[in-house]
Amino acid sequence: MDKFVIRTKRSPRPECTSSAKVDNKKQSTIESLASVVVVEEIHRLKCELESDVSTPEAILSALKKLGTKNLSRDVLLSTKIGHTVNRLRRQGSSEEIREQAKLVFRRWRGFIKELEREKPIIEVHCDKKTEVVRGKARKLLADALQMTITENLPELIERNVFHKFGRLINNNYKRKMRSSVFTLKHRDAIRSRVLSGEITVEKFVNSSPDQLLT
């Protein structure tokens, strides 16, 4: 994602030597702004929240990331992320998860009310060609895992690979996908540990097969 410079309020000029410089700029990304919503990222975090193999730490991290975003009513309805967060608000596996889900739910509810005053928001979606390629990748992962494509784990793995390589269908994405499918299909020990959650999706995506066996 391209970076840009945000100018902040100038600090008073210090009375010191010319060698001292005041840094009045900070670097950020468009995606980090609350008003910019990458719908793919919402889907990825939703998968993390719904996965049977997600750790409590991963669920909390996903909730905190969701809590930084202002989601429109359309995004809430199309992704159904509101239902997932509301379920965790009521039935989360720990008090910390339930409280974090409550914070996210309240933020979104408040923002929806403000949005009725025409507050601007930017939504970013994947194109159809990209979705077709990704759908085929998920099917291969599901076959390698001996699961159906409608189950959560193949989708969660693919979304994390897509996220890892900047949400681009490039050579790095394709190589990693081929490697992941081969590993899950032919390394029984790794496949069983991924299915049980002993190897997290994050670790699987960011490690080589040899590292996963250590």
Side-chain angles (χ1 to χ4, degrees):
M1 188 71 71
D2 292 336
K3 294 185 176 180
F4 64 95
V5 173
I6 298 176
R7 295 187 180 277
T8 57
K9 185 176 179 181
R10 289 178 177 271
S11 302
R13 187 181 297 276
E15 296 180 1
C16 56
T17 63
S18 59
S19 61
K21 296 182 179 180
V22 177
D23 184 7
N24 62 350
K25 300 177 181 178
K26 65 178 181 178
Q27 201 169 48
S28 185
T29 61
I30 293 176
E31 185 182 337
S32 67
L33 301 177
S35 59
V36 178
V37 176
V38 180
V39 178
E40 159 59 27
E41 180 67 358
I42 303 304
H43 280 297
R44 185 181 74 85
L45 295 172
K46 180 173 180 283
C47 276
E48 190 73 71
L49 296 179
E50 294 178 345
S51 176
D52 292 335
V53 298
S54 292
T55 63
E57 292 77 16
I59 292 173
L60 277 172
S61 176
L63 284 170
K64 289 176 181 178
K65 289 175 183 176
L66 287 167
T68 65
K69 289 300 179 181
N70 296 327
L71 304 190
S72 68
R73 192 184 301 276
D74 287 343
V75 171
L76 288 171
L77 291 174
S78 65
T79 62
K80 298 183 179 179
I81 185 64
H83 293 296
T84 301
V85 172
N86 192 37
R87 177 179 57 80
L88 289 173
R89 181 172 71 98
R90 299 172 183 274
Q91 304 172 5
S93 59
S94 70
E95 181 65 24
E96 190 175 7
I97 288 175
R98 291 192 293 274
E99 286 301 316
Q100 188 63 46
K102 287 178 185 177
L103 290 175
V104 176
F105 190 82
R106 289 169 187 162
R107 175 189 171 97
W108 289 347
R109 185 171 56 186
F111 176 71
I112 291 298
K113 293 179 180 178
E114 292 182 18
L115 197 61
E116 294 174 356
R117 304 172 192 168
E118 299 183 357
K119 192 169 184 177
I121 189 168
I122 301 171
E123 296 173 10
V124 183
H125 298 259
C126 285
D127 60 88
K128 290 184 178 180
K129 184 178 179 180
T130 296
E131 288 295 344
V132 169
V133 173
R134 298 179 64 197
K136 292 178 180 177
R138 291 176 197 172
K139 178 64 168 62
L140 292 172
L141 286 169
D143 291 343
L145 287 164
Q146 300 174 10
M147 304 176 76
T148 65
I149 196 171
T150 59
E151 294 181 82
N152 175 276
L153 188 54
E155 180 181 351
L156 181 57
I157 292 173
E158 189 281 327
R159 288 191 184 280
N160 274 272
V161 173
F162 190 59
H163 178 77
K164 175 181 173 68
F165 297 111
R167 290 190 287 271
L168 295 172
I169 303 297
N170 53 22
N171 289 334
N172 289 328
Y173 171 90
K174 293 175 182 177
R175 280 195 294 269
K176 182 62 181 180
M177 197 55 64
R178 285 195 294 267
S179 171
S180 298
V181 170
F182 182 88
T183 299
L184 291 171
K185 191 172 184 178
H186 299 287
R187 300 283 190 98
D188 294 344
I190 293 177
R191 182 177 66 251
S192 63
R193 292 173 68 190
V194 170
L195 288 168
S196 69
E198 183 180 350
I199 295 176
T200 65
V201 170
E202 181 180 7
K203 183 176 181 180
F204 176 74
V205 168
N206 290 288
S207 306
S208 69
D210 290 339
Q211 290 173 325
L212 294 172
L213 290 172
T214 58

